[in-house]
Amino acid sequence: MSYLDPPAPRPLQPGETPPAANGSDLLIPGGQATTWVFNPEYQRLVDLWFQVMPLMEKISTLLDRPYTLARSTDTWNADVAKRYIQQISEWRTRLGLYRQAVLTSISDEAADTPRWVPSKAGAPHAYS
């Protein structure tokens, strides 16, 4: 069974740089230059996505095999088989809805989370 998944959060790419600063973004109220770090909260969402996806695929695979076998007339051909196929089909539908809900919530949270955040730790400080 194939799924139409929402967009995954993008991990930090090699060579990716923080947002370019314009003239008004160079200084923060304290007079110090702004340094940027990749947002740890965004990275947490990336990690969560890559942790959840293999589990979703594993569950899908575990349901697909008995579904395929049950639909084969070589396995059985009786009324109980039709009920069994219907139950597995319902489980697959529920799994699809669950998968959509979980992945959409991660994707939506990532869309609302900035990839880069200002860092106080790496900024140069005068007279320190």
Side-chain angles (χ1 to χ4, degrees):
M1 183 173 207
S2 66
Y3 300 98
L4 181 60
D5 294 330
R10 292 181 303 124
L12 181 63
Q13 301 298 314
E16 184 178 350
T17 58
N22 61 30
S24 63
D25 290 339
L26 291 177
L27 298 176
I28 58 174
Q32 300 297 321
T34 303
T35 58
W36 296 90
V37 294
F38 195 71
N39 190 347
E41 289 300 313
Y42 190 89
Q43 182 61 46
R44 183 182 61 81
L45 294 168
V46 170
D47 295 342
L48 183 61
W49 181 278
F50 287 114
Q51 182 182 6
V52 166
M53 281 304 289
L55 298 174
M56 294 292 183
E57 293 299 328
K58 182 177 180 179
I59 294 171
S60 296
T61 303
L62 290 173
L63 280 177
D64 286 343
R65 180 161 166 72
Y67 181 74
T68 304
L69 290 174
R71 292 186 65 195
S72 170
T73 55
D74 295 339
T75 306
W76 59 20
N77 191 7
D79 289 338
V80 70
K82 292 175 187 167
R83 288 192 306 266
Y84 185 70
I85 292 168
Q86 182 181 3
Q87 285 179 342
I88 294 176
S89 181
E90 290 171 6
W91 294 337
R92 292 172 78 207
T93 301
R94 289 181 190 155
L95 174 62
L97 294 172
Y98 178 73
R99 175 187 179 118
Q100 188 70 28
V102 169
L103 296 180
T104 298
S105 67
I106 295 171
S107 181
D108 288 351
E109 185 71 23
D112 293 339
T113 304
R115 288 175 53 82
W116 295 90
V117 292
S119 170
K120 306 282 189 225
H125 298 282
Y127 308 110
S128 54

